[in-house]
Amino acid sequence: MPIAFNEPLSFLQRITEYMEHVYLIHRASCQPQPLERMQSVAAFAVSAVASQWERTGKPFNPLLGETYELIREDLGFRFISEQVSHHPPISAFHSEGLNHDFLFHGSIYPKLKFWGKSVEAEPRGTITLELLKHNEAYTWTNPTCCVHNVIIGKLWIEQYGTVEILNHRTGHKCVLHFKPCGLFGKELHKVEGHIQDKNKKKLFVIYGKWTECLWGIDPVSYESFKKQERRGNHLRKAKLDDSSGKADSDVADDVPVAQETVQVIPGSKLLWRINTRPPNSAQIWPARRRSGWKRNREKRGGSGPGRRRSGRRGGSTQAITPTLGPPTGCMQGITLSGISPTAQISTEGLEGPGARDRRLTRLDFLEWPL
C-alpha cells in the first residue's frame, strides 16, 4: 500500500483513542442497576470508534515487541499496548482505572480486504471491560470499517456490522446495528439497537450516530414513533428513477451527504455526545518517504516526522509521531495545546534490557519545521 495512505501514527497509539470518553466507564461503575450500567457500556463501545470519523489514513504497523504507554491522571486511567505478533499483526492492550474501578483489555487483529475501489478492515479480536465494583465482565467486537475511493475520488469512511455486548454475570445483552450508507446515503453513520435481558425481553432502545451522539428510549415509545414515521413516509413516497443508477465500474463512489443532526424522539435520554475536536486537528503531517525527510532536514536544519532509527546494529524504532493537534482530545501526549508529562514510549525489548524509556516533551513536537 502506498505510504500516502498512512497517517504518522503507530497503531498502538491509535488504540489509545478508545479511552477518549473514559468518563462513561466511571459512570457505569457508579450505576446501581444493571440496565443503567449496560447503557453506559454501550455508549462507551460506540464512542470507542468515533475517533475514526474522517480518519482515512492507515496507521503504521508497529514492530514486534514495540510498546506504548499513556497515563492520564486527570482522566483516571493508565493504558499500555504492545505488538505481540507480526504475522499476523496482533496488538494487545490493557488499561486500568487509577481508582481500581475497572479493567479494560483485549487484542485486535485487523483483517484487510481489498475490493477494487475500497478497503475493508475487519477488527477481529474480543474486547473486555470489567467493572470490579460489581464483579461484571462485558465483551464485544468492534464493527467493520470501510474506506472508499482508494484509487480515485475523495476518500470517505463508514462503519457497518452488528456489535453484541454481553454482560456475563446478569445475562443482559445489547445488540447494536451499525448501518451501511445504502444507495442514497440515508443510513450513513446511523446506529440502532436495543438492550434485552436474559429472557430476550427488550428493555431499552438505543439510536443515534457513531459520529455525533447516542440516545435511548423505552421500546413502547420508540415503536409508536416509528409507526407514525412510516405512515408519513408512505404518503410522501415517490417512484425511483431506474435510469439514475450507476454501474459498478471505475467511476468513483460519490461521497454521501449525511444529516448533521439526529432526529431526537420525545422523551429520549442522552447517553453520549462526541467531544469537540481541536480546531487544528486536521492539520497533521502527511506521511512521506524517508528520502523526503532527509531533504527536509538538509533544507531546514531539523528532523523530519516519522519513526527514528538508531545507528546501532539491529537498531530500534521509537514511535515518535508528531502532529499539529490530534483528532481527539484523549491523546494529549501529542498535542501542542497540552502535553502529558507521563505519556511515554517504552522501547525495552527492542534494544535489550538496558534500553531507556524516552519521555515525550513539548520540544519533541515543536522542533518540526512548519
Side-chain angles (χ1 to χ4, degrees):
M1 181 177 292
I3 198 173
F5 292 107
N6 290 91
E7 66 174 357
L9 279 180
S10 168
F11 186 71
L12 299 180
Q13 291 175 282
R14 184 75 173 261
I15 299 176
T16 314
E17 297 176 8
Y18 283 2
M19 308 301 293
E20 180 184 2
H21 301 89
V22 68
Y23 70 89
L24 294 170
I25 299 181
H26 298 309
R27 187 173 71 185
S29 181
C30 298
Q31 298 290 351
Q33 300 298 325
L35 177 60
E36 297 175 342
R37 291 195 294 271
M38 178 61 82
Q39 294 173 10
S40 298
V41 172
F44 174 76
V46 174
S47 70
V49 300
S51 65
Q52 299 184 22
W53 174 46
E54 295 182 344
R55 300 280 294 284
T56 56
K58 175 186 175 297
F60 286 100
N61 292 333
L63 297 179
L64 179 62
E66 182 178 340
T67 63
Y68 180 81
E69 182 179 9
L70 175 67
I71 301 176
R72 291 293 301 271
E73 297 181 356
D74 54 335
L75 299 179
F77 74 89
R78 175 178 181 265
F79 189 98
I80 186 169
S81 55
E82 179 181 356
Q83 189 73 5
V84 296
S85 176
H86 187 64
H87 289 296
I90 301 177
S91 303
F93 64 91
H94 180 90
S95 179
E96 59 184 13
L98 298 182
N99 295 326
H100 306 286
D101 52 346
F102 74 89
L103 293 176
F104 180 57
H105 53 87
S107 60
I108 299 178
Y109 166 29
K111 181 67 175 179
L112 298 181
K113 297 179 181 179
F114 181 67
W115 297 107
K117 295 187 295 183
S118 62
V119 174
E120 183 181 84
E122 180 184 354
R124 300 180 180 179
T126 302
I127 297 176
T128 303
L129 173 63
E130 300 181 29
L131 300 181
L132 303 181
K133 179 180 178 181
H134 304 280
N135 194 25
E136 292 179 343
Y138 301 81
T139 57
W140 69 88
T141 303
N142 284 334
T144 301
C145 176
C146 186
V147 180
H148 295 268
N149 297 337
V150 295
I151 304 298
I152 57 174
K154 183 180 179 181
L155 295 173
W156 60 280
I157 189 173
E158 67 171 328
Q159 308 257 10
Y160 50 80
T162 301
V163 175
E164 294 186 355
I165 307 172
L166 178 63
N167 185 335
H168 291 268
R169 188 178 73 87
T170 64
H172 285 72
K173 179 188 289 188
C174 179
V175 182
L176 298 173
H177 301 284
F178 287 72
K179 296 190 175 183
C181 69
L183 184 60
F184 299 101
K186 293 182 179 180
E187 304 294 327
L188 184 64
H189 304 328
K190 284 189 177 181
V191 180
E192 290 185 0
H194 64 274
I195 299 176
Q196 62 187 30
D197 58 13
K198 60 182 179 180
N199 298 321
K200 298 184 177 180
K201 178 184 177 182
K202 287 187 179 181
L203 305 177
F204 198 73
V205 175
I206 296 175
Y207 66 95
K209 290 185 178 181
W210 61 269
T211 57
E212 297 180 25
C213 57
L214 212 60
W215 297 80
I217 196 173
D218 64 279
V220 177
S221 301
Y222 181 81
E223 292 298 332
S224 176
F225 180 83
K226 284 297 180 181
K227 286 181 180 179
Q228 296 178 3
E229 188 179 49
R230 284 192 294 266
R231 189 179 300 114
N233 290 339
H234 178 72
L235 296 176
R236 296 190 303 266
K237 189 175 181 181
K239 268 190 173 182
L240 298 177
D241 188 4
D242 296 334
S243 62
S244 62
K246 291 191 300 182
D248 188 11
S249 61
D250 293 337
V251 179
D253 295 330
D254 293 335
V255 181
V257 179
Q259 298 179 0
E260 296 183 357
T261 57
V262 176
Q263 184 179 9
V264 181
I265 302 175
S268 298
K269 170 186 177 183
L270 180 63
L271 302 179
W272 160 78
R273 188 181 297 277
I274 192 171
N275 292 336
T276 303
R277 292 183 175 181
N280 59 345
S281 62
Q283 301 173 7
I284 62 173
W285 277 95
R288 302 177 183 175
R289 295 186 183 274
R290 191 172 181 81
S291 59
W293 302 341
K294 184 177 180 180
R295 290 194 299 269
N296 189 59
R297 290 197 300 269
E298 293 174 352
K299 283 184 178 180
R300 307 184 184 183
S303 300
R307 293 192 262 188
R308 301 175 176 176
R309 296 188 180 273
S310 68
R312 306 175 186 176
R313 179 174 298 178
S316 66
T317 297
Q318 295 177 345
I320 308 298
T321 53
T323 69
L324 296 183
T328 62
C330 172
M331 299 175 60
Q332 285 191 356
I334 56 172
T335 73
L336 291 179
S337 57
I339 295 180
S340 172
T342 55
Q344 60 184 2
I345 297 173
S346 172
T347 58
E348 185 173 356
L350 299 178
E351 290 184 326
R356 297 180 300 173
D357 291 344
R358 190 184 189 283
R359 293 184 178 271
L360 302 181
T361 65
R362 184 177 297 272
L363 295 178
D364 288 324
F365 306 102
L366 293 180
E367 66 178 356
W368 312 116
L370 300 179

